[in-house]
Amino acid sequence: MFDLKDVTFKSDGKHPKTLLDDITVSFPTGAFSAIVGHNGSGKSTLLKLLARKNKPASGDITLDRAALAGHGTRDFARKVAYLPQNPVVPPHLSVRELVAFGRYPWRGAFGRYRTEDHAMIDRAMEMTHVTEFSDRLVASLSGGERQRVWLAMLLAQDAPVLLLDEPTSALDVGHQRDILHLIATLKDEIGLTVIAVLHDIDMVGRFADHILALRGGRTCWQGDAQNFMRGDILRDIFQTEIDVIAVPGSTRFVSYVA
């Protein structure tokens, strides 16, 4: 789906700083990929490259084996849906109105909503369990409820790829689990490819299929969740004393700071 080869990104200005250097990775189709690493390691910068919010200084990024920059705007929006960190909630927008924004790449002449658009909006709201909030203002919802509404908007966009920048930011641990479980379930049910920036190590180990770890703007590790949840791997990625313990009666591990 997304392939990057020798990708570098630099900041603007008279003295540009290299924020990403020599990134080579293939994000697997139909998988939940997590991008992890310490603060400032380049996670969000990389996701913005995939979302075409940033342009690489060098290297190649392809989507479906075609140059990322070569996709038309509407074509790209029909393939990739992006949720940034802390999206701004318009104060007077209802849940259904926000979800409907996801249909912008598909609407008919003069931006009219067609029968199929309304059907996709209904479907997206049902899949994310926000139908009961349809007429409420988005700003009136709790953090967990609001995050499900943003996901509904992405699903209404009907793109096969979701790019999520810290989708569980500012949520308590229970809502983090619920949101990531919902994302993982939707990934399996409707065949999505998910690429998300995540911070919580244990949530990554529980829900991610494929993991890319960054340190100082460079790739320091790639692999699956089973191999990620090891003390030596986590210590190397995060450069701190972390270890893991097995969860009794389960194949999962949880991390702790030693």
Side-chain angles (χ1 to χ4, degrees):
M1 186 68 71
F2 273 111
D3 293 288
L4 292 79
K5 184 176 181 182
D6 303 328
V7 170
T8 298
F9 176 77
K10 297 183 179 181
S11 61
D12 296 326
K14 293 183 179 179
H15 305 287
K17 179 181 178 182
T18 299
L19 302 179
L20 291 172
D21 190 23
D22 196 29
I23 302 295
T24 296
V25 59
S26 293
F27 290 100
T29 302
F32 188 153
S33 293
I35 304 174
V36 304
H38 58 75
N39 291 339
S41 60
K43 303 183 298 297
S44 294
T45 300
L46 176 55
L47 201 72
K48 288 178 181 177
L49 284 174
L50 301 181
R52 303 206 306 189
K53 305 300 181 183
N54 291 335
K55 293 183 179 179
S58 61
D60 299 308
I61 305 178
T62 61
L63 173 63
D64 293 339
R65 300 184 181 180
L68 188 61
H71 292 266
T73 301
R74 177 168 286 201
D75 173 63
F76 182 74
R78 288 180 173 185
K79 292 181 177 179
V80 179
Y82 168 62
L83 185 64
Q85 289 185 43
N86 304 315
V88 177
V89 178
H92 303 299
L93 207 64
S94 74
V95 166
R96 187 176 181 84
E97 288 170 334
L98 179 61
V99 175
F101 283 169
R103 294 304 298 165
Y104 79 92
W106 302 95
R107 286 183 298 184
F110 308 109
R112 295 192 181 100
Y113 288 99
R114 300 159 299 178
T115 300
E116 53 264 44
D117 295 313
H118 289 292
M120 286 301 300
I121 293 166
D122 291 339
R123 174 176 176 263
M125 293 177 65
E126 289 169 5
M127 287 191 295
T128 53
H129 315 296
V130 299
T131 303
E132 63 182 295
F133 309 138
S134 181
D135 296 325
R136 286 181 58 183
L137 295 179
V138 178
S140 73
L141 301 178
S142 69
E145 292 167 344
R146 194 178 300 174
Q147 203 66 359
R148 283 192 279 137
V149 172
W150 287 114
L151 285 174
M153 185 189 73
L154 299 191
L155 293 179
Q157 192 171 329
D158 198 26
V161 182
L162 303 187
L163 304 179
L164 309 174
D165 196 350
E166 298 190 33
T168 57
S169 175
L171 299 181
D172 62 54
V173 66
H175 282 105
Q176 287 183 42
R177 178 203 58 212
D178 293 345
I179 289 295
L180 292 176
H181 181 267
L182 175 60
I183 292 168
T185 300
L186 292 169
K187 182 258 307 183
D188 292 334
E189 288 182 348
I190 59 179
L192 296 171
T193 296
V194 178
I195 305 173
V197 172
L198 296 175
H199 277 288
D200 190 292
I201 292 170
D202 298 330
M203 295 295 179
V204 172
R206 181 171 179 176
F207 293 106
D209 305 306
H210 167 255
I211 298 156
L212 171 69
L214 301 179
R215 186 173 65 241
R218 299 179 67 91
T219 299
C220 64
W221 190 82
Q222 290 188 60
D224 59 25
Q226 181 177 358
N227 290 308
F228 174 72
M229 293 301 291
R230 288 172 35 189
D232 58 333
I233 297 296
L234 296 178
R235 285 190 291 273
D236 182 61
I237 292 171
F238 296 99
Q239 298 289 283
T240 193
E241 288 302 312
I242 303 175
D243 215 329
V244 300
I245 55 174
V247 177
S250 170
T251 58
R252 294 193 297 112
F253 290 83
V254 294
S255 65
Y256 66 95
V257 178

